[in-house]
Amino acid sequence: MPDFDVIVVGSGHAGCEAALAAARMGCRVAVITLSIERTAHMPCNCSIGGPAKGHLVREIDALGGQMGVNIDRTLTHIRHVGTGKGPAVRTLRAHADKAHYPAEMLRTLQAQENLTLIQGSVEGLVVREGVCVGVKFLPSPPCPLSHGVGEGELASQRRASKHGLRPDLSHGVGEGELASPAPTPWERGAGGEGAITLTTPAVVITTGTFLNGLCHIGEQKIKAARFGDQPSVGLTECLRQLGFRIGRFKTGTTPRIDKKSVDLSQLQEVPSEPCPPFSYLHDALNPPRPLLPCWQTYTNERTHAIIRANLHLSAMYGGHITGVGPRYCPSIEDKIVRFPDKDRHPVFLEQEYWDADDLYVQGMSTSLPAEAQLEFLRTLPGLEEAAMIRPGYAVEYDMVYPDQLYPTLMTKRIRGLFLAGQINGTSGYEEAAAQGLVAGINAALCVQKREPLVLDRASSYIGVLIDDLVTKGVEDPYRMLTGRAEHRLHLRHDNADERLTPIARELGLACEERWRRFRERQDWLNAELDTLRGLEISGRHNPQLQALGGAPVNARISALEYLRRPEASYAMLQQLFPDALRAPEAIAERVEIIAKYEVYLRKQQQQIEQMRKVEHWIIPDGIDYESLSAISKESREKLSRVRPRTIGQAARIPGIRPADVACLMVYLRSREK
């Protein structure tokens, strides 16, 4: 028997979701991480959600993930975003306390049955005949070991003894330290002196920015994956030797300043708003303390002049960085260079903690020297006396081009090896968590010899994200945008449970409470729609309608038909029929969207059904594309590299000609005869 069913490398946002999903599906899971204390750390901004990202968080929650639950418990600020662009774009963005969010996630991992946390550095993989069967890691004592709730001291000792550990239960039940590991049952192997081999049929790598991480502050270079964290230096070479194409990307973060040094009276305050929770498990937000505001200010010509004068000292513009940076989250240097016509750029000051004065300067990611950063910060209104707690920096890291993955996030080259998060060329906590959840699910399904989970583009933003990665690949860090989803009116923030919770139930990730809540919401929604169909509006209601701001009617129509009118709202109809319409806000919102967008939703559903015809046309494994002479050479090369699962995926590969897709379909039909 292997030591574990699934091993997750890394405990960032992707690693946490992967580990929790696999453990909740009944697998014995180990998480190996460089620092257990940095689990679910938020090294960049303190926000969760935002356009498209909020949709991802909702979908993670609907699939039984943890991010939505965690942000609801630890948020300090929340507001709606995309409100002026209709229900397809509208979602939530929240700030978290950067101490409480990781602490809450770590508690969740420590309480999870079947899940063990190990502190150490994974230096290599054990691969036999194209199958990943284990990892080699160097332990980092002292190493806390997490156990499930209720196991007790005796169970803790038995588990520690089995894995060659010497538990120290003086810190409390289920905690303890990793002593120098015994050579059995884990075999020693290559990967450095004292390296230990753990066996497993499934490995999920979620290393974030840790692979050969290098931080830049002006001309200063620091070997680090992020502020305060050493990089992982052995795993990249292992992946390269296994034949993976490796790239180098760059991301960045902003300066932190002391709130006490800012004149907040010169800034525009942005208060929190009344908002629903992210998680479907919660009826309403119940933050531990009153919510906090953030503040907005703007750059000016003095700011831009200082940045232009120091561009040659920037790590990016000074030629010190070779990695490709994010297109949709540019540094302040990039903004000044790429948008010279803009006389100002918005800047938000976001509070990172309940109990500290650290402000995150959102919108000013930079790799300029610290002195230049402080100089341009002090040109902003309200920041004339700003004290900088920590300068911003850029970080370069290794990544694996994601067109080397299946839509399950298992690698095509090595069976049982899954990749998730920034290692796949993405940016953002939410994108990482979404991939981690899918990778963890599929790792568990692989171990349990069950059919894999593949989410298509019509089911979720998660499906769009993964399909874009594995089909189109990446040239720069990928960020989820609502414009990437062709069916975004169908993929709304409000209906993620309707799309994904039945799938979670089949996987074993929807607990009884989640399933009960889902069924209640669906029953209430259907009942409310039936009630609206049965309520009649006629000319006798015209005085009331006009008093409420509605247009009069000339014939008898149902309340549902009236709700389709632009000026009509569910709240208006509630006042008209107070005894019949009593749905809570979340149900009322969905009812109104269904009514107003029924025609468009029906058309989009027809498009989805047409798309799924080609998505369900499976391309058999092992096709020799080079032998298909009717297909252009360029398309043969791309088909051979991507190895699409379906005709639909083949058609989305950049550069594949429609005529070549038609030839491929003719070839597949000939094979069926």
Side-chain angles (χ1 to χ4, degrees):
M1 179 181 289
D3 294 310
F4 294 96
D5 297 321
V6 177
I7 290 178
V8 177
V9 181
S11 63
H13 301 280
C16 290
E17 296 293 351
L20 288 169
R24 289 165 176 171
M25 291 171 68
C27 291
R28 296 172 301 120
V29 178
V31 179
I32 304 176
T33 182
L34 289 169
S35 173
I36 289 176
E37 291 183 353
R38 304 282 269 182
T39 292
H41 181 53
M42 306 176 86
C44 193
N45 62 47
C46 55
S47 72
I48 297 289
K53 292 173 176 281
H55 293 77
L56 286 175
V57 179
R58 255 295 166 106
E59 291 178 355
I60 290 166
D61 184 75
L63 266 178
Q66 195 64 26
M67 179 173 267
V69 174
N70 213 56
I71 185 60
D72 283 352
R73 291 174 177 170
T74 60
L75 61 82
T76 63
H77 175 93
I78 190 168
R79 64 182 187 270
H80 287 100
V81 293
T83 54
K85 298 182 179 180
V89 176
R90 186 168 60 239
T91 186
L92 301 173
R93 186 177 189 268
H95 301 161
D97 183 291
K98 291 180 69 169
H100 290 185
Y101 185 95
E104 183 68 29
M105 187 66 81
L106 180 57
R107 279 192 290 270
T108 301
L109 266 66
Q110 290 173 325
Q112 178 61 50
E113 283 188 75
N114 304 320
L115 197 154
T116 301
L117 291 169
I118 301 171
Q119 192 161 281
S121 173
V122 172
E123 300 295 315
L125 303 171
V126 183
V127 177
R128 296 174 187 157
E129 299 179 351
V131 179
C132 189
V133 295
V135 302
K136 296 181 185 297
F137 82 102
L138 293 170
S140 304
C143 177
L145 179 68
S146 171
H147 302 289
V149 170
E151 291 187 314
E153 292 190 9
L154 184 59
S156 174
Q157 290 172 340
R158 281 200 300 267
R159 176 181 285 182
S161 175
K162 173 187 173 186
H163 292 296
L165 309 177
R166 184 175 69 243
D168 176 2
L169 297 174
S170 61
H171 297 109
V173 174
E175 295 183 357
E177 292 185 352
L178 259 177
S180 299
T184 57
W186 303 342
E187 63 184 57
R188 293 189 184 278
E193 184 179 351
I196 296 169
T197 297
L198 279 177
T199 57
T200 179
V203 173
V204 184
I205 298 180
T206 66
T207 45
T209 62
F210 276 73
L211 294 185
N212 288 327
L214 182 65
C215 291
H216 299 262
I217 305 175
E219 296 180 343
Q220 182 184 11
K221 298 180 182 180
I222 306 164
K223 289 185 177 180
R226 58 195 184 196
F227 184 80
D229 287 308
Q230 292 298 309
S232 172
V233 297
L235 200 50
T236 293
E237 188 55 33
C238 172
L239 293 169
R240 186 175 279 115
Q241 289 178 4
L242 289 170
F244 290 99
R245 289 182 291 113
I246 307 295
R248 194 136 175 95
F249 277 2
K250 167 256 176 187
T251 188
T253 187
T254 76
R256 270 63 160 186
I257 61 176
D258 190 335
K259 177 183 172 184
K260 295 190 296 293
S261 68
V262 178
D263 182 359
L264 298 176
S265 66
Q266 294 190 52
L267 280 63
Q268 177 186 345
E269 183 173 313
V270 182
S272 293
E273 300 172 352
C275 291
F278 273 100
S279 178
Y280 288 101
L281 288 174
H282 301 151
D283 291 322
L285 289 174
N286 186 27
R289 307 187 196 180
L291 294 177
L292 303 174
C294 65
W295 294 270
Q296 184 176 16
T297 185
Y298 292 90
T299 64
N300 53 57
E301 185 49 45
R302 288 176 56 223
T303 318
H304 301 181
I306 291 171
I307 293 170
R308 282 193 292 266
N310 287 276
L311 272 179
H312 64 288
L313 299 176
S314 163
M316 175 65 75
Y317 286 90
H320 303 289
I321 292 178
T322 59
V324 181
R327 179 182 307 178
Y328 297 104
C329 189
S331 67
I332 188 64
E333 298 99 291
D334 276 339
K335 290 179 183 178
I336 302 308
V337 171
R338 289 164 52 185
F339 308 106
D341 56 316
K342 297 282 187 182
D343 55 7
R344 68 176 192 169
H345 295 279
V347 175
F348 290 88
L349 303 183
E350 301 175 348
Q351 302 190 71
E352 294 192 310
Y353 304 97
W354 287 108
D355 298 315
D357 290 316
D358 301 48
L359 292 178
Y360 181 88
V361 188
Q362 172 79 332
M364 299 200 88
S365 171
T366 182
S367 62
L368 283 165
E371 297 81 5
Q373 294 185 37
L374 183 58
E375 187 180 2
F376 73 61
L377 282 171
R378 288 181 170 177
T379 66
L380 273 62
L383 276 67
E384 292 86 355
E385 303 296 327
M388 191 165 65
I389 296 171
R390 192 174 81 218
Y393 59 90
V395 57
E396 287 185 280
Y397 56 94
D398 294 336
M399 48 77 65
V400 175
Y401 288 104
D403 56 2
Q404 300 170 96
L405 307 176
Y406 292 113
T408 60
L409 297 182
M410 185 167 72
T411 66
K412 298 170 183 176
R413 188 171 291 274
I414 306 296
R415 179 169 175 77
L417 178 62
F418 298 79
L419 308 182
Q422 281 182 277
I423 192 174
N424 289 339
T426 60
S427 67
Y429 308 144
E430 302 85 357
E431 290 90 341
Q435 293 172 73
L437 178 61
V438 172
I441 288 170
N442 279 312
L445 293 173
C446 179
V447 170
Q448 296 165 352
K449 301 189 184 325
R450 295 163 62 187
E451 284 295 311
L453 172 69
V454 175
L455 298 173
D456 64 30
R457 300 180 70 88
S459 70
S460 58
Y461 274 89
I462 299 176
V464 173
L465 163 68
I466 293 175
D467 183 67
D468 279 351
L469 293 176
V470 304
T471 304
K472 301 176 182 178
V474 294
E475 296 179 355
D476 50 64
Y478 179 101
R479 178 178 180 171
M480 192 71 244
L481 305 169
T482 53
R484 297 190 191 273
E486 55 268 51
H487 306 300
R488 56 185 175 274
L489 184 57
H490 178 64
L491 306 181
R492 303 187 311 277
H493 176 101
D494 66 278
N495 70 347
D497 61 334
E498 188 175 296
R499 294 181 276 114
L500 296 173
T501 297
I503 297 173
R505 181 69 171 180
E506 292 178 11
L507 293 169
L509 287 175
C511 62
E512 290 302 321
E513 174 68 6
R514 183 179 293 279
W515 187 243
R516 180 188 66 78
R517 284 171 168 270
F518 170 72
R519 294 292 299 273
E520 285 182 356
R521 283 193 300 273
Q522 290 303 109
D523 290 345
W524 202 330
L525 174 65
N526 292 329
E528 205 69 8
L529 288 170
D530 286 341
T531 299
L532 286 166
R533 292 186 187 100
L535 291 173
E536 187 178 82
I537 294 178
S538 63
R540 66 186 180 87
H541 294 104
N542 283 340
Q544 294 167 276
L545 290 172
Q546 290 175 303
L548 294 170
V553 297
N554 298 320
R556 296 175 184 270
I557 59 173
S558 71
L560 186 62
E561 289 176 285
Y562 190 82
L563 188 54
R564 294 185 183 125
R565 297 186 175 192
E567 74 279 2
S569 68
Y570 183 88
M572 178 192 299
L573 294 179
Q574 273 186 312
Q575 294 184 62
L576 200 62
F577 303 104
D579 296 330
L581 301 176
R582 299 178 178 178
E585 185 177 350
I587 300 297
E589 177 189 24
R590 197 179 298 187
V591 165
E592 191 166 323
I593 291 170
I594 290 171
K596 291 189 182 301
Y597 296 93
E598 182 181 17
V599 174
Y600 303 101
L601 288 167
R602 190 184 305 122
K603 287 181 178 178
Q604 198 158 97
Q605 190 60 43
Q606 291 170 352
Q607 294 170 354
I608 290 170
E609 294 304 321
Q610 291 173 355
M611 182 198 76
R612 282 180 171 158
K613 290 178 182 178
V614 292
E615 288 298 328
H616 292 163
W617 193 340
I618 302 296
I619 300 175
D621 290 333
I623 287 182
D624 180 10
Y625 290 105
E626 289 300 327
S627 67
L628 304 183
S629 57
I631 295 178
S632 69
K633 180 175 177 55
E634 179 188 8
S635 291
R636 293 201 304 269
E637 290 174 353
K638 291 181 176 180
L639 289 166
S640 297
R641 188 186 76 243
V642 176
R643 310 295 306 180
R645 279 183 73 251
T646 67
I647 288 292
Q649 186 184 359
R652 290 191 296 275
I653 299 173
I656 296 291
R657 304 171 187 173
D660 290 332
V661 175
C663 288
L664 179 58
M665 293 166 67
V666 170
Y667 170 74
L668 293 178
R669 286 196 186 98
S670 69
R671 282 180 50 133
E672 294 170 356
K673 293 180 181 178

